[in-house]
Amino acid sequence: EDKVVQSPLSLVVHEGDTVTLNCSYEVTNFRSLLWYKQEKKAPTFLFMLTSSGIEKKSGRLSSILDKKELFSILNITATQTGDSAVYLCAVEGPGGTSYGKLTFGQGTILTVHP
Amino acid sequence: EAGVAQSPRYKIIEKRQSVAFWCNPISGHATLYWYQQILGQGPKLLIQFQNNGVVDDSQLPKDRFSAERLKGVDSTLKIQPAKLEDSAVYLCASSLGSYEQFFGPGTRLTVL
């Protein structure tokens, strides 16, 4: 059974701090790893990673994948209160269509205090 | 571009009752997903449609859950009869065929 584990489960920091969120996985026939940000209800897409060692960046957020060690990290620098959310990691395995099936981790709850 | 629409946003029912959720995906998106997200957990895929055909329903509890996507556009997820453990947020997502799934606001179901 495919498994995605995120750590830590929750994190409380102050504005300006840098945080690192972890995601490890065991997925048969890995295709890609995705990060989502979930505020209130609907997850919104952040990154998709398919190749080891290539960093994806978007503003203060960056992510990298290690396919040998089966993990990914999401970094957020200079955190702001608006970064408070649940961060979800999902791994795409083979599915019924060309684009596979997502298995999500349990999420990391990030709280940023002013 | 309008996003994924879901209704109702909240629903409270007694156990053993029936409930139905509706989802209208982004126009033109061929793939539609229903997820169940229990408090404190990540979303779990229940069923995936490609147009109006089911491509994955391996995690759908078929004794009580059913879903359909008539005409390959909007979709309905039904639970009959509901159990206490069905209390969760039910998320609908759609994709054009790329990796990026767009999620709706979800329906929070409470079963008493």
Side-chain angles (χ1 to χ4, degrees), chain B residues 68-80:
Chain B
E68 60 183 8
R69 190 183 183 195
L70 299 175
K71 301 180 182 177
V73 181
D74 55 352
S75 176
T76 303
L77 175 70
K78 295 180 182 176
I79 308 175
Q80 180 179 13

Side-chain angles (χ1 to χ4, degrees), chain B residues 4-6 23-25 32-35 90-94 102-104 106:
Chain B
V4 175
Q6 289 188 246
C23 172
N24 191 30
L32 185 147
Y33 312 79
W34 282 102
Y35 290 89
Y90 290 84
L91 294 164
C92 178
S94 70
F102 294 85
F103 284 82

Side-chain angles (χ1 to χ4, degrees), chain A residues 48-63:
Chain A
M48 185 188 80
L49 304 152
T50 56
S51 301
S52 273
I54 298 176
E55 186 181 49
K56 291 278 184 88
K57 289 199 71 162
S58 177
R60 297 176 293 102
L61 278 67
S62 64
S63 183

Side-chain angles (χ1 to χ4, degrees), chain A residues 32 34 36 38 40-45 48 88 92 94-97 99-107, chain B residues 9-10 35 37 40-43 45 48 50 55-56 58-59 91 97-101 103-106 108:
Chain A
S32 66
L34 299 92
Y36 285 83
Q38 187 172 26
K40 297 182 181 178
K41 286 185 185 172
T44 54
F45 172 80
M48 185 188 80
L88 294 165
E92 182 188 13
T97 70
Y99 302 100
K101 169 182 168 180
L102 294 184
T103 299
F104 281 86
Q106 72 273 54
Chain B
R9 295 294 304 275
Y10 303 90
Y35 290 89
Q37 187 173 22
Q41 299 181 18
L45 179 69
Q48 178 180 349
Q50 182 77 12
V55 294
D56 190 331
S58 57
Q59 299 188 102
L91 294 164
S98 68
Y99 53 82
E100 185 173 356
Q101 296 182 23
F103 284 82
R108 182 178 297 279

